Amino acid sequence: MKRRTFLVGGAGAFGALLVGWSVLPARQRLTTAAPLPVEGTQAALNGWVKIASDDTVTVMMCKAEMGQGIHTGLAMVLAEELDADWSRVRVEDAPIDNIYNSVQSVIDDLPFRPDHDSITKRTIVWYTRKLMREAGTMMTGGSSSINDLWTPMREAGASARAMLIAAAAAQWHVPAGECVAQGGYVSHPSGRKASFGELSSMAAQQALPHKVTLKDPAGFKLIGKPLPRIEAASKLNGTARFGIDALPDGLLYASVVMCPTLGGTVASFDAASAAKMPGCIKALAFPPYNGGTGGVAVIADNPFRAMNAVDAINVTWKHGAAASLSSAEVEHRLALALDDGDGHAYYHRGDINDALSRAAHTVSAEYHAPYLAHGAVEPLNCTVQVADGAATVWVSTQVPALARHHVAKVLHIDDDKVTVHAQLLGGAFGRRLELDYIAQAALIAREADGHPVQTLWSRAQDFTHDFYRPACVARLRAGLDNNGKVIAWHSASASQAIVPEALSRYYGVPRIPIDKTTSEGAFDQPYEWPVVRVAHKIVELPVPVGFWRSVGHSHQAFFTESFTDELAAAAGQDPVAFRAALLAQHPRHLAVLQRVAALSDWHEPLTHAADGAPRARGVALHEAFGSVVAQVAEVSIGPRGRIRVHRVVCVIDCGLPVNPNLIRQQMESGIVFGLSAALQDEITIVNGQVEQKNFVDFPVVRINDCPVIETDIMPSRLHPQGVGEPGVPPVAPAVANAVFALTGKRLRTLPLKLT
């Protein structure tokens, strides 16, 4: 009775607390827990903006700049509402604080379709937003940055503007309503005028407004303009600082070699030979950290000596559970999982078996996608100094708060004893969401007697010890009626799950049984199938997997859009018209599809390529990260069956376009990235060891092979959505569909190969 009373009473108390918490107002996202650090004449008006007496406006950035232009886009959003002079706007990395927690990225990972609207969904989203503001973390990923900070940045700019106006009004003894802010100045009809810098110190003493009025988009002066990137000049003149550019005084260097088998450890090592080499200071072994692999490191006085010395260490490896694993075995286990059922249904409507049994014609296909590495240009690196019971970290990371926590954990110190200097990222694509290389660097630096140590991975270590995009197998089946109309759609796929593994690595929590990212791109598309079941089976394998640009969309789009084309062919219908018939209740998607058809001259005959080879077009439409993208690829076949892509026409609806220049850059980047994976990239495993060790084995599309890319941006007043990743998913199916139109051969395995 006592136990039952305790459980019932405890549950009731928890429920009461939850209800009480739920009615509290949402946590504000304008002011930090501790005052922002200021320099010189800077005055902080809230947690997002500081203004100095020289009229410099500094926007605080809690998002990592990794080439996607987010520092520019977010600065534009705040500067627009502030009415700042854009030429005076600068950016600075934000401190670690809860107001900078990523909220939208977690919302986007909830297992709901975009067009799903219910009380259940709204309630869960509302609670999740509140929870992430309290207990989330700073993170850049999921193409969520503009979406997440659109409102906080606008409110921060509008609040600061109101405080500047209030300061001017108090100084001039006039009503605030008579004053106007524009172009970095506050003015009054009487002719009085003061710059933001002149007003900044007095403005900082004004009360933060309880409510602000945001601009009507019709009045935007900066948003919507193709402004140059704010960090572009520093990258051109060499003053930009990436992780690898950290050069604190007394810097030493470390090089690492990890067990060639994924997840392996060091059994023993002999560093006698390395110790005799010039510049070698210390050799040590380290365990696997955060889902990585164990290995050995050498600290030396320069990076080349460290690399040479670590190669001289004689290591006996303990190869672990992955030692017998091969790519063929992975494929077999994924297919076997589907033989045993289709797993968790992320979307279903109607009786799929009954609908398929009544179909006049059924079509079935099996698709395959391989593991993929990230292949960022800047190799993994992290600089750490451990001294006087504290640590300083210089690192390119997408998760600075988690980086701080895991450094503290390795060093057995409190989080507030760790200072993280976030650097620019020389590419990431999701790899710098991981913490293995950061924890590893902290342990190595602990052995350096107070010297800072830059741990730098070789390219081979980077490729062979990544957290890979999961390999996946999908089986699709659909039923058509006598008129070629889809009456049933069944999709089942099998792969490892990223989110459960990542949460275990980040927080040490038990693995959750479902993961929306495994099925995204399959269950959340707009096609109006009368009867449908989309499911996924999670398979446990000893290969580390992680978030890769566009995550599940990267392969599920290939499966879904290729199979949609198969159905169009089976029905004897034009691929664009076939898709349009499935979008009657989705006008936004239909408009994008029709626009790409018009811009690509879809219904016009194609001329031959320059060498006389015939060309054909393929189309794909996909929604990802809130944006709708359609692409048409023009393809020919060269010598030895080589697939050549001549032109890609891309149309995107990403909501209100904050900076068209950045959007076009990201569409081009995504298409090149996606083409590299579509045509030539895969990670293969033999005896638990990755075979690819450099870009020669895992090539990026080169300039001479890059197609002409034309991007069109749909006008919109909707909330801005993601652009960093949505350009990747449609390109592989568009190319595959063009190959089918040209050759009659249906390619169902990535990378695409005719021979």
Side-chain angles (χ1 to χ4, degrees):
M1 285 295 295
K2 289 182 179 179
R3 181 174 180 273
R4 188 173 69 180
T5 301
F6 172 78
L7 289 174
V8 172
F14 177 77
L17 285 172
L18 185 63
V19 171
W21 177 71
S22 70
V23 299
L24 292 174
R27 175 71 72 180
Q28 58 84 27
R29 297 184 76 181
L30 284 184
T31 58
T32 51
L36 280 183
V38 294
E39 294 182 0
T41 61
Q42 285 182 334
L45 275 65
N46 54 55
W48 299 93
V49 61
K50 301 185 290 189
I51 300 177
S53 62
D54 66 354
D55 297 327
T56 300
V57 174
T58 300
V59 180
M60 307 307 295
M61 285 294 161
C62 60
K63 301 296 183 181
E65 177 58 71
M66 51 186 130
Q68 81 279 42
I70 198 61
H71 283 187
T72 305
L74 288 175
M76 288 173 64
V77 172
L78 188 144
E80 178 70 72
E81 292 290 347
L82 180 61
D83 265 306
D85 175 358
W86 179 248
S87 69
R88 307 300 297 168
V89 175
R90 308 289 185 268
V91 298
E92 179 182 318
D93 288 313
I96 294 172
D97 190 277
N98 279 350
I99 73 163
Y100 306 124
N101 286 349
S102 178
V103 175
Q104 188 61 42
S105 61
V106 181
I107 301 298
D108 290 342
D109 276 342
L110 296 173
F112 297 109
R113 284 168 52 91
D115 56 5
H116 175 168
D117 186 28
S118 67
I119 293 177
T120 299
K121 178 181 177 180
R122 290 195 296 269
T123 301
I124 291 174
V125 167
W126 188 73
Y127 272 105
T128 302
R129 286 192 185 280
K130 286 176 64 69
L131 180 62
M132 288 305 102
R133 292 179 185 181
E134 300 289 344
T137 192
M138 291 172 64
M139 190 275 289
T140 308
S143 296
S144 63
S145 296
I146 292 285
N147 191 344
D148 186 33
L149 297 181
W150 173 249
T151 299
M153 280 289 199
R154 292 185 71 191
E155 290 177 345
S159 296
R161 170 168 46 87
M163 294 163 72
L164 289 161
I165 287 174
Q171 184 175 322
W172 300 334
H173 304 290
V174 298
E178 295 178 358
C179 299
V180 176
Q182 186 174 5
Y185 288 86
V186 177
S187 60
H188 185 263
S190 65
R192 291 180 173 132
K193 188 176 183 180
S195 72
F196 285 1
E198 293 171 323
L199 296 168
S200 58
S201 60
M202 188 174 178
Q205 300 172 29
Q206 303 295 313
L208 192 71
H210 291 294
K211 188 176 181 181
V212 292
T213 301
L214 302 179
K215 283 186 178 181
D216 186 303
F220 286 162
K221 301 181 183 71
L222 295 176
I223 292 174
K225 300 295 189 296
L227 300 180
R229 288 164 63 139
I230 206 165
E231 86 286 5
S234 68
K235 289 178 176 177
L236 290 172
N237 63 29
T239 60
R241 287 293 173 262
F242 296 85
I244 205 168
D245 296 318
L247 297 171
D249 292 341
L251 182 64
L252 301 176
Y253 295 86
S255 186
V256 300
V257 171
M258 286 164 280
C259 179
T261 305
L262 295 167
T265 58
V266 176
S268 63
F269 73 99
D270 181 358
S273 297
K276 297 174 184 177
M277 299 180 72
C280 179
I281 295 171
K282 188 167 188 176
L284 65 147
F286 53 83
Y289 280 113
N290 300 95
T293 299
V296 294
V298 165
I299 302 172
D301 58 2
N302 73 45
F304 305 103
R305 286 176 166 178
M307 291 177 193
N308 289 334
V310 80
D311 285 342
I313 296 178
N314 184 19
V315 188
T316 300
W317 301 109
K318 185 176 180 180
H319 292 280
S324 62
L325 192 69
S326 66
S327 294
E329 174 65 15
V330 169
E331 288 274 322
H332 173 70
R333 289 172 66 173
L334 295 179
L336 198 63
L338 289 178
D339 290 342
D340 194 35
D342 64 4
H344 175 76
Y346 288 84
Y347 178 45
H348 64 93
R349 182 174 63 237
D351 187 329
I352 188 67
N353 292 324
D354 177 66
L356 287 170
S357 70
R358 291 185 287 103
H361 180 50
T362 60
V363 181
S364 301
E366 182 171 295
Y367 286 84
H368 298 256
Y371 289 111
L372 290 173
H374 294 86
V377 172
E378 182 187 9
L380 290 177
N381 66 89
C382 180
T383 302
V384 182
Q385 183 171 24
V386 181
D388 303 321
T392 305
V393 183
W394 295 262
V395 66
S396 301
T397 179
Q398 296 172 251
V399 281
L402 280 172
R404 179 181 71 171
H405 174 71
H406 283 271
V407 167
K409 184 178 178 181
V410 168
L411 300 176
H412 304 292
I413 58 178
D414 294 335
D415 285 16
D416 60 9
K417 295 293 185 181
V418 179
T419 301
V420 175
H421 298 292
Q423 309 289 97
L424 292 172
L425 284 62
F429 315 120
R431 178 59 176 97
R432 286 178 163 90
L433 287 166
E434 302 300 337
L435 302 154
D436 56 325
Y437 66 103
I438 299 173
Q440 183 189 99
L443 177 76
I444 294 168
R446 189 180 65 185
E447 305 301 313
D449 298 325
H451 287 276
V453 180
Q454 182 177 103
T455 298
L456 177 63
W457 287 23
S458 69
R459 186 65 68 190
Q461 295 300 308
D462 193 352
F463 269 104
T464 56
H465 296 89
D466 203 343
F467 289 81
Y468 304 97
R469 196 281 305 273
C472 189
V473 172
R475 292 174 182 166
L476 296 99
R477 190 180 182 203
L480 303 173
D481 66 12
N482 287 320
N483 298 316
K485 181 180 178 181
V486 178
I487 62 170
W489 174 284
H490 184 206
S491 169
S493 54
S495 74
Q496 292 168 259
I498 299 169
V499 170
E501 293 193 21
L503 291 178
S504 178
R505 294 194 295 265
Y506 298 164
Y507 302 108
V509 299
R511 295 188 180 186
I512 57 177
I514 62 171
D515 175 3
K516 170 253 187 186
T517 69
T518 59
S519 191
E520 64 185 6
F523 85 96
D524 50 7
Q525 294 309 293
Y527 294 129
E528 296 151 12
W529 305 303
V531 178
V532 57
R533 180 178 173 87
V534 180
H536 185 86
K537 193 80 168 285
I538 294 176
V539 180
E540 300 286 345
L541 292 165
V543 178
V545 294
F547 299 99
W548 190 89
R549 190 176 187 177
S550 76
V551 203
H553 294 280
S554 66
H555 47 276
Q556 292 287 3
F558 171 64
F559 307 154
T560 299
E561 280 299 286
S562 295
F563 192 62
T564 299
D565 231 59
E566 291 203 48
L567 298 183
Q573 298 181 24
D574 173 80
V576 170
F578 186 81
R579 287 169 170 82
L582 292 167
L583 296 170
Q585 304 302 315
H586 291 81
R588 182 183 177 216
H589 302 76
L590 181 59
V592 171
L593 178 66
Q594 292 172 333
R595 180 68 173 161
V596 81
L599 293 177
S600 65
D601 300 317
W602 178 261
H603 296 291
E604 300 298 322
L606 264 174
T607 60
H608 285 195
D611 63 354
R615 292 187 296 171
R617 299 184 183 95
V619 66
L621 172 73
H622 195 76
E623 179 177 355
F625 307 97
S627 294
V628 181
V629 178
Q631 293 173 6
V632 169
E634 296 179 4
V635 170
S636 73
I637 307 301
R640 297 178 297 279
R642 180 170 169 265
I643 299 169
R644 302 182 301 186
V645 183
H646 299 273
R647 179 188 183 213
V648 176
V649 179
C650 175
V651 176
I652 180 172
D653 181 342
C654 57
L656 193 151
V658 172
N659 185 324
N661 187 41
L662 301 179
I663 296 168
R664 289 191 175 91
Q665 288 175 5
Q666 286 307 294
M667 290 303 101
E668 292 173 8
S669 165
I671 287 167
V672 171
F673 192 86
L675 272 179
S676 301
L679 297 177
Q680 49 204 33
D681 290 344
E682 62 180 324
I683 289 295
T684 55
I685 298 171
V686 175
N687 296 327
Q689 300 180 17
V690 171
E691 294 187 295
Q692 291 71 28
K693 294 180 172 60
N694 211 319
F695 288 112
V696 69
D697 309 311
F698 196 87
V700 177
V701 167
R702 299 192 178 200
I703 190 68
N704 58 306
D705 292 321
C706 187
V708 172
I709 299 172
E710 301 168 16
T711 300
D712 185 71
I713 303 167
M714 300 286 281
S716 177
R717 289 289 185 90
L718 297 176
H719 191 101
Q721 301 295 326
V723 298
E725 296 170 274
V728 175
V731 70
V735 171
N737 293 339
V739 170
F740 174 77
L742 192 60
T743 68
K745 296 180 180 178
R746 184 66 67 181
L747 303 181
R748 300 188 180 97
T749 297
L750 293 173
L752 303 171
K753 296 177 183 177
L754 279 169
T755 56

